[in-house]
Amino acid sequence: MTSGVLAADTLPGDSKDDERPKWDNKFQYILSCIGFAVGLGNIWRFPYLCQTYGGGAFLVPYFVALIFEGIPLFHIELAIGQRLRKGSIGVWSTISPYLKGVGIGCFFVSFLVSLYYNTILMWVLWYFLNSFQSPLPWSFCPPNENKTGLVEECQLSNTVNYFWYRQTLNIAADINESGTPQWWLVMCLVACWTIVYICVIRGIESTGKAIYFTALFPYLVLTIFLIRGLTLPGATEGLIYLFTPNVSMLQNPRVWLDAATQIFFSLSLAFGGHIAYSSYNPPKNDCEKDAVTIALVNSMTSLYASIAVFSVLGFKATNDYWACMDRNIISIINEFDFPDQSIQREDYLACFTHLNSTQSDRMAQLQLKSCHLQDFLDKSASGTGLAFIVFTEVMVHMPGSPGWAVLFFGMLFSLGLTSMFGNMEGVLTPILDMQILPKSVPKELITAVTCLISCLFALCFTLQSGNYWLEIFDNYAASLNLLIFAFFEVIGVSYVYGLKRFCDDVEWMTGRRPNIYWQVTWKIISPLLLLTIFVSYIILLILKQPMYGSWNPQYDDFPIKQEKFYPGWVQVITVMLSLLPCIWIPGIAIFQLITRKKGKGKNSWPAPDGKNPVNL
Amino acid sequence: MLVALFPTLSLVTVIHAQLCQPDAENAFKVRLSLKTALGDKAYAWNRNEEYLFKAMVAFSLRTFSNKETIEISNVLLCNITKRVSFWFVVTDPSKNQTLPASEVQEAIRMNRNRINNAFFLNDQTLEFLEIPTTLGPPTEPSTPIWIIIFGVVFSLVVVGIVLLIMSGIHKQRRKSKALTETGDVEDKYETVVTIENGIPCDTLDSKEGRINRAFAADGEKLTSL
């Protein structure tokens, strides 16, 4: 059956091959895909999940999800992009005009995600710029206005929290209080979008050059941190804690759900970015090998990063434990007037029990907090909390702090930047493919306008309530929609385009037919998995109350965050954000149905010159 | 006379002992952490160091209140522990009372730096309990460092963008120039080889060619359908 191959030869887009940009070499393409997949989540989400869900045992659901969901979906994206040589909108309208909505939805999601992702980069840039000084600005509390003491907010919480919530975000106590845009954040935002612009200015011609640095630099820094982390005291405790498997955790269905969603978001599926990247490939390229390679590199990077992160976190826990003991020792020495430094950390426990038995009333007066290393190791953090609060505190205690801070935030910036390239390609490639603008408009101008519009929209994140809005975007704008789009991707390719036709195309491109593993996962397993994840996700979202934690210095239990409900208008905007991308799927499908019915209706009468009715 | 001296001396020491006691009126507790501050180079706390301390306190009071009459013997130390910690009071030379706490506090605050330096200690390792420290103003440069680095990074990026855009425009102009040039070359090429059968083709300008009247007449002889 060669009909598939013949049909493949005559697909649109082949004639315009010479005009379409190309990768300089295969390595650039692989690096770009790896850079897009490897992002901030590999550093600050995967280690947290590993720690929370029973250490080494988490790797089991993680790899199961990788094999049955991540790699098959990834292969589909690379294959359709490479075959149909268009961005997401073009690809889906080629597969079926009714599925054009999937492409438009992916385009919208890429746009929304690039808005808030670059905001995170803005914060990273701010910290990076502030790392070039010693002592680091988040290591001390500033004095208050009348110079009688330190700022109260800083004393009640701690220095890193104060720097993050007050000196960086200047956060409002409530999402209703929008406040004003913070000028230092606006400057960093403009700088971030300018940096993104200079890299994306000519599409893959420019990102292809930038990627050599931005994709490889994080690995260098991770290695440096790994070596430094392993030599710090307490690193081994952290690593043992991370990887000790707790197999009973596997019975909790939440673990499997989080593993599946982590694989899904980690590989940056359903954004349209990978489709855009592979559309610039030569048609005969082994996309199967690429898919497996890139997915495995992404997972290995997550593991590598978690080793580095956890050796540093082990050091932090040990440091905190020692600080706790030292505080207690000082209290005891001061109370009983023992000589300075007479109690060492090793003798603390013995001394403590002895004193408790002999002088229990005086000891009770001291109100000593008990110190256990396990408690400090249990304190986990993910996301911005890990980077801007936990890690910044650790780096204060490492000798040569400014250097480590510069390296760390430089690494985070590179990681985020390569992911931004993929997001922007997911936005720019469909715009350029749809050719809504005349050819005389240079690509540089289109890119500039896109970056400018995104920058203006992102200004709302520089408001004092910006962090609360970012959490909303993070939780609601992307996750659900991506799951829907991925589901339609698999269904669209397996059933609408036809699995047989697709396998013929892949055979034409790679030279070998996809084996039974691919066919079974594409046809049955991945759609089922995605459906299950989607339903569980919806159930969890409905069960979770729409609350947020606000940083309120007036709160009684400060520095614990005050839990507040989202006001009505915020909930409306949240629902709109979740629906806006995926509403295009039914919208476009219905639109196509109507236009086709109208077209058929017109040609049901014979034409006046006796010719046959034209089949539209 | 010696017999008369003895009760006076003992009376004085008793009075002094009563003036300097833990939690006495106008008394302050001092705490030193020598090992924490100096490690191996820590000196031992002995009577000579106590003498220096008394001297520093007396000096502070002299400079603060301009009372030239305060002597080292007016500063009383008591309850010295191995911690090292002790209590001290300052007696008024004219009366048999202690100086008010506020005066002593202000004097110590004014000269805190010099007292610290005399013992190679700082505010955390030489603690006067209940005397708050005056925080020095933070040393901030006139322009924060982050703005300087921001300026460097931003100007580099803007210069890069301008260069890229200009090179793009330059490329476009060269491309369009090359296109018009190849267009001229092709025209020249055509004007060279356009003579066939001895007839120069450029005479046949019209696309439809020339009307050959010899054939035109034939068409009229045929009957129309």
Side-chain angles (χ1 to χ4, degrees):
Chain A
M1 286 283 283
T2 52
S3 59
V5 177
L6 283 175
D9 276 346
T10 53
L11 274 170
D14 285 7
S15 53
K16 299 196 188 128
D17 251 0
D18 326 315
E19 291 178 11
R20 197 170 182 79
K22 280 195 274 274
W23 296 105
D24 288 345
N25 51 52
K26 177 97 182 256
F27 186 56
Q28 232 180 43
Y29 160 64
I30 298 277
L31 263 189
S32 298
C33 286
I34 290 178
F36 182 35
V38 172
L40 298 169
N42 293 65
I43 304 285
W44 70 34
R45 181 93 182 130
F46 179 80
Y48 164 77
L49 287 175
C50 238
Q51 179 200 6
T52 325
Y53 289 129
F58 180 72
L59 293 177
V60 171
Y62 184 74
F63 277 104
V64 164
L66 180 68
I67 293 173
F68 289 111
E69 179 204 347
I71 296 184
L73 279 170
F74 196 48
H75 189 193
I76 284 186
E77 286 213 4
L78 292 186
I80 52 177
Q82 195 174 296
R83 183 68 211 96
L84 301 174
R85 331 249 12 251
K86 285 212 164 142
S88 54
I89 299 183
V91 154
W92 291 107
S93 42
T94 312
I95 287 183
S96 161
Y98 294 100
L99 284 179
K100 190 169 175 179
V102 177
I104 299 182
C106 287
F107 167 77
F108 260 95
V109 163
S110 284
F111 177 71
L112 286 175
V113 169
S114 59
L115 280 185
Y116 82 79
Y117 208 83
N118 217 21
T119 307
I120 300 179
L121 283 189
M122 164 185 83
W123 294 331
V124 173
L125 182 67
W126 163 255
Y127 268 81
F128 176 76
L129 293 175
N130 273 293
S131 304
F132 286 92
Q133 45 188 296
S134 177
L136 292 169
W138 53 81
S139 62
F140 57 86
C141 276
N144 60 17
E145 279 150 7
N146 24 10
K147 305 261 186 346
T148 50
L150 302 170
V151 174
E152 194 190 327
E153 189 181 346
C154 186
Q155 276 184 314
L156 286 174
S157 54
N158 59 36
T159 55
V160 281
N161 273 329
Y162 181 71
F163 187 76
W164 168 237
Y165 285 109
R166 189 55 50 209
Q167 290 177 308
T168 305
L169 299 175
N170 198 10
I171 203 164
D174 197 286
I175 197 171
N176 280 314
E177 302 160 28
S178 301
T180 51
Q182 306 302 296
W183 62 269
W184 57 92
L185 290 181
V186 174
M187 280 170 69
C188 289
L189 184 72
V190 170
C192 273
W193 276 108
T194 321
I195 294 175
V196 168
Y197 178 57
I198 193 180
C199 294
V200 185
I201 190 168
R202 295 220 187 108
I204 61 165
E205 282 174 49
S206 43
T207 58
K209 310 283 186 305
I211 205 86
Y212 287 117
F213 174 73
T214 52
L216 293 174
F217 179 66
Y219 286 98
L220 176 67
V221 175
L222 266 180
T223 311
I224 296 175
F225 260 93
L226 183 74
I227 297 174
R228 176 74 254 229
L230 287 174
T231 54
L232 287 169
T236 33
E237 275 88 10
L239 285 175
I240 293 171
Y241 181 70
L242 170 70
F243 286 117
T244 313
N246 178 8
V247 190
S248 61
M249 272 288 193
L250 293 180
Q251 295 162 1
N252 180 3
R254 201 56 209 275
V255 179
W256 296 87
L257 174 67
D258 276 347
T261 42
Q262 170 62 16
I263 273 289
F264 184 77
F265 297 131
S266 177
L267 282 171
S268 307
L269 296 169
F271 277 90
H274 288 297
I275 297 179
Y277 276 158
S278 61
S279 71
Y280 298 118
N281 267 339
K284 295 215 178 202
N285 174 52
D286 195 344
C287 53
E288 178 184 346
K289 202 166 69 159
D290 295 342
V292 175
T293 314
I294 297 169
L296 282 177
V297 168
N298 180 50
S299 296
M300 290 305 127
T301 310
S302 292
L303 274 173
Y304 192 59
S306 53
I307 298 178
V309 164
F310 262 87
S311 47
V312 173
L313 288 183
F315 166 68
K316 175 182 195 301
T318 309
N319 245 18
D320 288 345
Y321 172 59
W322 285 346
C324 177
M325 269 205 294
D326 287 344
R327 272 196 303 271
N328 287 357
I329 289 176
I330 291 275
S331 303
I332 294 178
I333 286 182
N334 285 348
E335 170 67 23
F336 294 98
D337 283 322
F338 293 147
D340 187 25
Q341 292 203 355
S342 50
I343 306 178
Q344 295 300 319
R345 287 180 189 141
E346 302 92 55
D347 316 317
Y348 165 69
L349 216 54
C351 182
F352 177 74
T353 34
H354 170 79
L355 281 172
N356 236 358
S357 49
T358 47
Q359 310 242 23
S360 48
D361 43 346
R362 282 175 85 180
M363 290 293 280
Q365 255 189 344
L366 288 176
Q367 292 179 329
L368 297 174
K369 286 195 191 140
S370 63
C371 300
H372 300 289
L373 183 60
Q374 195 65 18
D375 294 339
F376 294 107
L377 283 171
D378 278 337
K379 280 197 198 147
S380 52
S382 76
T384 50
L386 180 75
F388 299 126
I389 296 182
V390 173
F391 247 80
T392 43
E393 198 186 326
V394 179
M395 288 189 291
V396 169
H397 296 299
M398 288 164 79
S401 340
W404 294 108
V406 166
L407 272 180
F408 178 67
F409 290 113
M411 170 184 80
L412 285 188
F413 194 75
S414 297
L415 277 173
L417 201 61
T418 48
S419 300
M420 273 304 289
F421 295 162
N423 279 326
M424 293 307 287
E425 278 303 320
V427 173
L428 288 170
T429 306
I431 292 180
L432 293 168
D433 284 339
M434 284 198 298
Q435 291 172 349
I436 34 183
L437 298 161
K439 278 231 155 141
S440 56
V441 177
K443 196 191 265 191
E444 287 91 337
L445 187 60
I446 300 177
T447 322
V449 170
T450 315
C451 286
L452 185 65
I453 293 177
S454 310
C455 185
L456 289 174
F457 270 106
L459 278 175
C460 71
F461 293 117
T462 59
L463 295 170
Q464 287 182 275
S465 54
N467 191 32
Y468 303 132
W469 282 107
L470 196 120
E471 279 172 20
I472 292 177
F473 263 74
D474 197 16
N475 290 328
Y476 299 103
S479 354
L480 269 176
N481 289 307
L482 290 172
L483 287 169
I484 297 174
F485 296 142
F487 179 71
F488 275 98
E489 271 185 20
V490 172
I491 297 292
V493 167
S494 300
Y495 295 98
V496 177
Y497 188 73
L499 190 63
K500 195 167 183 328
R501 195 166 151 207
F502 183 63
C503 288
D504 291 337
D505 287 340
V506 175
E507 189 179 1
W508 181 78
M509 288 194 289
T510 65
R512 21 167 225 292
R513 203 170 178 78
N515 57 29
I516 190 81
Y517 155 70
W518 297 111
Q519 300 195 26
V520 169
T521 45
W522 286 335
K523 199 123 186 165
I524 303 170
I525 301 186
S526 297
L528 266 178
L529 258 180
L530 280 171
L531 203 59
T532 324
I533 298 170
F534 177 67
V535 169
S536 330
Y537 214 83
I538 291 247
I539 294 176
L540 280 172
L541 263 181
I542 293 174
L543 286 177
K544 189 174 81 158
Q545 288 187 310
M547 293 176 79
Y548 66 103
S550 85
W551 181 262
N552 186 5
Q554 317 306 342
Y555 185 47
D556 297 328
D557 283 340
F558 184 78
I560 298 177
K561 290 203 188 157
Q562 184 182 13
E563 297 286 325
K564 292 186 183 174
F565 283 98
Y566 284 122
W569 63 279
V570 171
Q571 295 197 27
V572 168
I573 294 183
T574 310
V575 169
M576 272 172 58
L577 263 180
S578 323
L579 285 182
L580 183 67
C582 60
I583 208 83
W584 289 96
I585 302 180
I588 294 284
I590 294 173
F591 177 71
Q592 290 284 339
L593 258 174
I594 294 176
T595 41
R596 289 197 166 213
K597 277 211 173 134
K598 271 200 190 153
K600 278 192 188 156
K602 266 194 199 160
N603 287 321
S604 57
W605 312 308
D609 58 358
K611 292 186 189 154
N612 288 326
V614 177
N615 277 327
L616 283 167
Chain B
M1 205 183 62
L2 271 172
V3 178
L5 259 170
F6 186 64
T8 355
L9 266 176
S10 50
L11 190 64
V12 168
T13 33
V14 164
I15 292 171
H16 275 196
Q18 281 175 334
L19 286 174
C20 178
Q21 268 179 24
D23 296 321
E25 201 188 343
N26 301 328
F28 290 94
K29 184 167 181 183
V30 179
R31 194 152 62 205
L32 289 95
S33 312
L34 293 168
K35 275 216 183 123
T36 314
L38 303 164
D40 294 330
K41 300 193 193 121
Y43 46 81
W45 187 260
N46 51 27
R47 298 196 66 87
N48 298 329
E49 306 285 342
E50 288 171 25
Y51 192 84
L52 177 60
F53 183 82
K54 290 185 199 178
M56 295 302 295
V57 173
F59 160 76
S60 309
L61 278 161
R62 277 193 176 205
T63 46
F64 176 71
S65 42
N66 285 321
K67 282 199 191 134
E68 301 277 319
T69 49
I70 294 188
E71 298 291 334
I72 289 182
S73 49
N74 291 117
V75 183
L76 306 169
L77 266 58
C78 52
N79 266 62
I80 301 165
T81 66
K82 285 220 171 79
R83 167 63 184 83
V84 174
S85 68
F86 49 84
W87 290 81
F88 77 92
V89 286
V90 186
T91 55
D92 199 332
S94 47
K95 308 167 220 172
N96 220 357
Q97 280 173 351
T98 53
L99 284 178
S102 51
E103 200 178 323
V104 179
Q105 183 168 317
E106 284 310 309
I108 303 272
R109 277 189 89 183
M110 214 177 75
N111 292 300
R112 188 62 188 271
N113 225 13
R114 293 187 74 167
I115 301 177
N116 286 350
N117 284 337
F119 293 97
F120 304 123
L121 300 171
N122 58 29
D123 283 351
Q124 281 79 45
T125 41
L126 171 56
E127 297 167 79
F128 287 84
L129 305 183
E130 292 166 35
I131 297 186
T133 54
T134 348
L135 297 163
T139 47
E140 259 198 47
S142 46
T143 26
I145 296 182
W146 74 269
I147 290 188
I148 299 173
I149 303 184
F150 175 86
V152 168
V153 168
F154 196 63
S155 30
L156 278 175
V157 173
V158 168
V159 164
I161 289 177
V162 168
L163 284 174
L164 277 173
I165 291 181
M166 282 177 55
S167 78
I169 296 175
H170 198 61
K171 240 195 242 172
Q172 280 277 61
R173 286 215 185 120
R174 260 200 288 162
K175 227 195 225 173
S176 50
K177 232 199 219 173
L179 272 172
T180 48
E181 271 179 22
T182 48
D184 292 338
V185 168
E186 280 169 8
D187 284 341
K188 276 196 202 152
Y189 191 64
E190 273 193 21
T191 49
V192 168
V193 189
T194 41
I195 301 181
E196 273 191 49
N197 290 339
I199 309 169
C201 293
D202 46 330
T203 57
L204 302 167
D205 275 342
S206 56
K207 280 194 183 151
E208 293 93 42
R210 292 174 62 189
I211 300 171
N212 193 338
R213 301 218 173 261
F215 290 101
D218 271 341
E220 288 174 10
K221 285 186 184 167
L222 295 167
T223 46
S224 56
L225 291 160

